[in-house]
Amino acid sequence: MKNYVNKELLEETLELKRQKNALVLAHYYVPSETQAAADFVCDSFEMAKRARSADKDLVVICGVSFMGESAKILSPQKKVLLPVPEATCPMADMVSPEQIADYRKLHPEAAVVCYVNSTAAVKAVSDICCTSASAEKVVGSLENKEIVFVPDQHLGSYVAEKFPDKTFYLHKGFCPRHHAVTEADVLKAKEAHPDCALAVHPECRTEVVKHADFVGSTSGIIDFAKKTDAPGVIICTENEITEILRRELPEKEIWPVKRSFICQNMKKVTLESLRDCLKYERYEVTLSDEEIAAAKAALDKMVKV
Ligand code: 13P
Ligand code: SF4
């Protein structure tokens, strides 16, 4: 599929980025036009790390709102902007600080591990954060025998399998997009492309993950597709990853597990919204000092691990 970039709009956005001396980070799921104007296109873990080490005072996060919050928490002295603050991750809203307090009462010995797809308020009451790329390492770094994992039940079960000596209490949250992929979808794709390897994001259901040749974050999937000896790869995550790989690996067969695998909220972050964000220096992420301090402890621990 060809990508038609509005060159004038791209130039105007790049010029504004230069004038404002801004760092623009884009998640792989935002539209390719928006990615074209970014300094780095990354998974959520790399985004968090780059926001922290950035030497610029203005950082624009092209992604969903928790990604902007994470950048602000890690770099409170910087001005962090989100082009579309109403682009949220529905999974992030599936757990509340009150629910974490209930888990703590029920399991006082447990460490609360919070997937980075969560609100700042939830991070603030968790012990440590993780991303899909870092979840295994994060849990492995903890001495606790009991783990409360929020909000993604599927990433939680995937990690739990790696630690049979620990007891996991999984919150029942999920990503509506990854959760919607069924085992039947996967079997159908494998039947249609029998020589292709299957790469799956761990936000998918266990019965989908079990068929995977590779399970990992968005950047992990991209690396796997580049390195595998298989003649092609079936991509079981958001369709933008399929499009990126088709452009980067024209010699390989790259197939989406199903056509309609689209995170509508990420798609709201258009190039036009990025242009306006830079032009008007809007919309700034604001969090209270207390929330930043508490959430920072959990995010810092993850970045250190
Ligand atoms: P990554 O951590 O792989 O970037 O994934 C974030 C996300 O929202 C996946 O749905
Ligand atoms: Fe959230 Fe799912 Fe979109 Fe990722 S793909 S941002 S988990 S809704």
Side-chain angles (χ1 to χ4, degrees):
M1 194 173 98
K2 274 213 161 74
N3 277 285
Y4 297 98
V5 178
N6 179 336
K7 285 198 177 133
E8 237 169 72
L9 183 59
L10 179 62
E11 273 315 310
E12 188 187 352
T13 309
L14 291 172
E15 183 49 34
L16 281 162
K17 187 172 79 164
R18 271 191 293 274
Q19 279 171 18
K20 307 264 175 168
N21 194 27
L23 175 77
V24 176
L25 301 176
H27 191 270
Y28 290 117
Y29 294 169
V30 299
S32 57
E33 271 208 331
T34 312
Q35 293 183 18
D39 295 293
F40 297 98
V41 181
C42 7
D43 70 4
S44 57
F45 188 44
E46 194 186 333
M47 236 179 192
K49 287 190 294 181
R50 287 201 182 276
R52 192 174 75 149
S53 60
D55 57 1
K56 295 193 172 170
D57 295 330
L58 184 62
V59 180
V60 181
I61 299 291
C62 299
V64 286
S65 59
F66 77 80
M67 295 176 174
E69 286 187 351
S70 297
K72 182 68 188 174
I73 292 162
L74 289 170
S75 324
Q77 72 291 358
K78 290 174 191 159
K79 188 168 183 180
V80 177
L81 304 177
L82 277 166
V84 187
E86 63 275 19
T88 57
C89 168
M91 169 155 59
D93 295 322
M94 289 185 188
V95 66
S96 65
E98 292 73 27
Q99 285 170 307
I100 307 270
D102 291 343
Y103 281 122
R104 286 205 189 274
K105 270 187 219 140
L106 279 171
H107 311 292
E109 301 298 318
V112 177
V113 179
C114 150
Y115 187 28
V116 76
N117 294 39
S118 52
T119 60
V122 163
K123 289 185 178 81
V125 292
S126 299
D127 294 309
I128 188 164
C129 290
C130 72
T131 63
S132 52
S134 67
E136 219 177 304
K137 268 197 178 165
V138 163
V139 171
S141 76
L142 299 170
E143 287 185 355
N144 309 58
K145 287 276 172 234
E146 293 176 78
I147 306 288
V148 169
F149 195 97
V150 302
D152 187 12
Q153 58 183 298
H154 299 309
L155 178 62
S157 340
Y158 175 68
V159 179
E161 269 190 19
K162 315 268 174 197
F163 297 94
D165 55 324
K166 292 188 194 278
T167 305
F168 280 73
Y169 307 104
L170 305 178
H171 187 70
K172 293 293 176 211
F174 57 90
C175 159
R177 301 273 68 85
H178 287 81
H179 185 77
V181 182
T182 62
E183 189 173 20
D185 290 328
V186 169
L187 294 176
K188 198 170 151 200
K190 275 172 84 92
E191 201 184 320
H193 313 293
D195 297 333
C196 292
L198 174 70
V200 176
H201 196 284
E203 286 175 10
C204 291
R205 294 163 186 263
T206 311
E207 63 264 34
V208 166
V209 168
K210 79 174 184 205
H211 293 286
D213 298 294
F214 173 81
V215 182
S217 71
T218 44
S219 57
I221 290 175
I222 290 173
D223 280 355
F224 170 78
K226 288 180 180 168
K227 288 179 188 154
T228 180
D229 292 333
V233 186
I234 301 164
I235 305 298
C236 191
T237 191
E238 217 268 354
N239 283 355
E240 206 65 48
I241 301 288
T242 307
E243 296 306 326
I244 289 171
L245 286 169
R246 282 183 167 169
R247 288 196 295 275
E248 290 192 13
L249 304 173
E251 73 287 2
K252 280 192 182 162
E253 277 183 60
I254 305 289
W255 298 103
V257 71
K258 59 180 204 169
R259 280 181 181 278
S260 54
F261 201 148
I262 293 167
C263 177
Q264 302 292 358
N265 282 350
M266 288 280 195
K267 297 295 179 268
K268 290 178 186 165
V269 189
T270 58
L271 181 57
E272 205 167 12
S273 73
L274 173 59
R275 188 267 319 267
D276 291 344
C277 167
L278 287 161
K279 193 169 176 181
Y280 305 113
E281 292 197 28
R282 71 185 190 191
Y283 295 94
E284 189 170 358
V285 178
T286 51
L287 294 168
S288 74
D289 291 348
E290 297 73 41
E291 209 162 47
I292 288 178
K296 191 170 185 304
L299 268 174
D300 273 343
K301 276 191 218 154
M302 170 188 83
V303 178
K304 267 193 204 124
V305 167

